[in-house]
Amino acid sequence: MTQQPAWWHRFHARGVFWRQVLRFAILNTPPWLEPIAMASWSLFFLMWGTARRGVMRNLAVIKPGSFALVNFFRCYRVFWNYAWTIADNVRFKELRTIPDWEFTGWKYFEEMQERDGAILLTAHMGSYDLGAHLFSETSSRRIVMVRAPETDPETRAFEQGRAAEGLRIEFNTRSTDLAIDLLSIIRDGNIVAIQGDRVTGEIGFLPATVFGRPTRVPAGPFALALAARVPIYPVFVVRLGRRRYRLMTARPIELVRSQDRDDDFRRAVEQWVGELEHVIRDRWSQWFTFEPYWPELAA
Amino acid sequence: MTTNVIINRSAVRWLPSRHRFALAQLVAFARLRRGEPQDADGPDHLILPIDRDQSAAESYAVAVWVFLTVASYLVAVLPLPLPLAIFAAIPLASIVIHIPIVVGGLTLRLLLGDNDHVKIVSVGTMSLLIVWSFYVTHGDSWARIVAWLFFGVLACNAIAALILWLLRAEVQAEENQCAR
């Protein structure tokens, strides 16, 4: 029997209460007061010490030699962008309001849709949910999103009850069954979207070096690409301003099967990490990784 | 797409129908008529929805204006030396602005259900601000200048609405041409 969390867990930073507050705000806040609400709530959530410290530690690696005080203010920018991003996501789900979309790498984006199955590899940046929703509405291909479930059970139930229509979400907790399902989805000519920047829970990983420090990236997307013989398209959704996003598609990663499987993976991971670093360096204020990213920082 | 969207026309950003207040719509109309040079380094593809609340500049401008107005009213009533009053008014203004959203939103939720109440809360909040500003204009503190300024902006908006009404055929034609 699963143990029910204590009632006060709903008020934790990842608890369901704040999701309910956000939904309430979306349904009641005049758009011309939104910036005030965002500024206030971003400031309020700076009190979330674990996340603040996680972001600041990551920023110290992304911007070597930076001062802690400067990174504190940068941390506020991360929280500010996160607040707008999740608000835009809820606004889309509740009111079907879509933001302005700009695309770069359009030829790769079109190429991805024309292919017979592909993997879309993204990061915890911008509104990946909103990007996936946009994709599901504009593309003739079906898109299946793979992501880590919410850690809080009530929050998980709340989010699952409000998932947008037409978008299938799979959680990466049932790895073996899921791999077979995803392979079949790709072979049917569809697209699987996976977040490939960090390893959450007990999932397979590959070693990588990001910003000169050793870390791990999920092995799943690379193994899937090799098995399904499809390319991986690095796609990032970044927020440009209020209700304005850019979807950036990079050159695809082609995994070529050789005698040395580890070397195949290594080359693919290197290309992925190159794209990831480039985007994070430019858009550090939108990398929503609230835990220390590198194992040595967590230790 | 469920919303009305225009593809690959950057000038659509300046459609008056992508702005909420008449003053912003009039400025947008002037920009639309002036035309915008095509940006060679711009994005490969654009999707722009037609939504009255899409303008960032308008939203931020109104938010700053409302915030400064409320903060000024609070500074004037706080029984503190001016520097301290300013310091205290900044967080207080933010809290005060949240009150109509929270109270109005919860009341509407009880009365009308768990739906979209943005329009009602928006009208209610602006009405409260007008009443408060009217009250301040009748006082003898320096904040009455801010209150008159507030009414000045409202008057400009009303004039802009009148101009837009007179130009409604041209505005419609320009919008249709741009969105075609």
Side-chain angles (χ1 to χ4, degrees):
Chain A
M1 209 173 95
T2 52
Q3 200 180 354
Q4 283 291 312
W7 65 269
W8 44 266
H9 270 253
R10 57 177 32 236
F11 299 108
H12 275 185
R14 293 186 194 276
V16 72
F17 175 75
W18 303 109
R19 306 295 173 110
Q20 290 164 336
V21 167
L22 176 62
R23 185 174 171 274
F24 174 85
I26 293 298
L27 294 177
N28 294 288
T29 306
W32 45 276
L33 290 180
E34 271 175 14
I36 302 170
M38 290 296 175
S40 315
W41 285 97
S42 304
L43 204 59
F44 174 77
F45 271 97
L46 265 189
M47 290 193 292
W48 180 18
T50 318
R52 188 186 64 240
R53 283 188 292 274
V55 171
M56 285 177 69
R57 281 182 190 178
N58 294 337
L59 283 170
V61 174
I62 298 165
K63 294 193 165 289
S66 54
F67 293 106
L69 183 67
V70 176
N71 282 343
F72 177 81
F73 289 109
R74 285 186 178 134
C75 184
Y76 179 77
R77 274 187 68 184
V78 174
F79 279 52
W80 161 265
N81 276 313
Y82 187 63
W84 279 106
T85 300
I86 56 174
D88 286 339
N89 195 31
V90 174
R91 190 178 295 108
F92 175 77
K93 285 184 192 173
E94 297 293 334
L95 308 173
R96 307 300 286 178
T97 305
I98 61 162
D100 291 353
W101 281 102
E102 295 183 9
F103 293 73
T104 58
W106 179 248
K107 66 172 181 178
Y108 297 129
F109 186 79
E110 283 193 311
E111 182 189 295
M112 175 169 58
Q113 297 191 65
E114 283 160 13
R115 279 195 183 248
D116 226 8
I119 294 170
L120 187 160
L121 197 56
T122 187
H124 289 78
M125 296 190 76
S127 182
Y128 48 84
D129 283 327
L130 202 53
H133 291 315
L134 170 87
F135 197 89
S136 70
E137 292 217 11
T138 53
S139 173
S140 53
R141 302 278 178 198
R142 202 169 122 228
I143 186 161
V144 176
M145 223 171 113
V146 183
R147 56 180 297 184
E150 294 292 339
T151 46
D152 180 72
E154 279 186 295
T155 310
R156 188 159 59 234
F158 180 81
E159 290 297 335
Q160 283 174 11
R162 286 178 166 74
E165 290 167 25
L167 178 70
R168 182 171 153 193
I169 299 174
E170 292 284 352
F171 295 105
N172 60 6
T173 41
R174 46 182 202 97
S175 52
T176 315
D177 294 349
L178 184 58
I180 296 164
D181 283 356
L182 295 179
L183 193 59
S184 149
I185 287 163
I186 292 172
R187 283 184 174 154
D188 288 343
N190 298 306
I191 294 165
V192 169
I194 310 176
Q195 289 167 337
D197 57 337
R198 67 177 190 231
V199 175
T200 47
E202 300 295 314
I203 61 169
F205 63 85
L206 291 167
T209 304
V210 180
F211 288 102
R213 295 195 186 207
T215 188
R216 305 175 307 177
V217 292
F222 301 97
L224 198 58
L226 206 61
R229 295 172 191 267
V230 292
I232 297 172
Y233 286 85
V235 175
F236 301 94
V237 178
V238 296
R239 182 178 173 268
L240 300 177
R242 183 183 170 276
R243 296 196 190 180
R244 194 169 158 220
Y245 289 86
R246 176 174 290 164
L247 196 137
M248 305 189 299
T249 312
R251 187 168 57 87
I253 302 166
E254 303 274 358
L255 269 103
V256 183
R257 199 185 287 257
S258 70
Q259 298 294 323
D260 188 349
R261 197 164 173 255
D262 289 343
D263 194 51
D264 300 340
F265 281 145
R266 187 187 53 75
R267 275 183 283 114
V269 168
E270 273 178 10
Q271 192 182 334
W272 163 241
V273 165
E275 297 291 348
L276 187 65
E277 274 189 8
H278 175 69
V279 176
I280 293 173
R281 192 172 283 116
D282 283 355
R283 308 277 174 179
W284 53 265
S285 64
Q286 299 193 39
W287 191 35
F288 305 136
T289 297
F290 297 112
E291 301 85 22
Y293 179 68
W294 292 267
E296 65 183 69
L297 293 186
Chain B
M1 283 277 168
T2 44
T3 316
N4 189 13
V5 296
I6 310 286
I7 311 283
N8 286 342
R9 277 179 176 264
S10 58
V12 166
R13 290 188 204 284
W14 295 106
L15 284 187
S17 52
R18 276 169 52 97
H19 298 74
R20 174 156 293 274
F21 296 101
L23 207 51
Q25 286 179 6
L26 192 61
V27 172
F29 179 60
R31 281 292 300 259
L32 188 66
R33 287 198 69 168
R34 205 179 68 186
E36 196 178 65
Q38 287 295 318
D39 183 8
D41 299 325
D44 307 339
H45 190 77
L46 268 177
I47 297 177
L48 301 172
I50 307 297
D51 183 308
R52 284 186 74 188
D53 297 308
Q54 209 67 24
S55 165
E58 180 189 19
S59 168
Y60 283 117
V62 176
V64 168
W65 168 56
V66 168
F67 185 82
L68 290 178
T69 303
V70 172
S72 301
Y73 295 169
L74 290 171
V75 169
V77 295
L78 285 173
L80 295 167
L82 191 65
L84 275 181
I86 293 171
F87 189 72
I90 292 169
L92 273 178
S94 172
I95 293 167
V96 166
I97 288 167
H98 276 77
I99 292 172
I101 301 171
V102 175
V103 175
L106 287 175
T107 311
L108 289 165
R109 190 176 161 164
L110 278 173
L111 296 174
L112 304 173
D114 189 18
N115 304 313
D116 172 14
H117 306 129
V118 170
K119 207 172 274 180
I120 308 174
V121 176
S122 185
V123 171
T125 308
M126 190 50 89
S127 305
L128 285 173
L129 206 51
I130 290 170
V131 171
W132 194 4
S133 299
F134 185 73
Y135 173 77
V136 174
T137 56
H138 284 71
D140 53 2
S141 81
W142 57 267
R144 68 179 189 279
I145 301 165
V146 180
W148 281 117
L149 202 65
F150 177 84
F151 283 115
V153 175
L154 288 192
C156 287
N157 194 59
I159 294 165
L162 183 68
I163 296 169
L164 279 173
W165 183 78
L166 294 170
L167 295 174
R168 61 191 182 283
E170 276 182 67
V171 173
Q172 192 59 52
E174 201 77 39
E175 288 227 354
N176 289 344
Q177 193 189 350
C178 183
R180 196 166 55 215

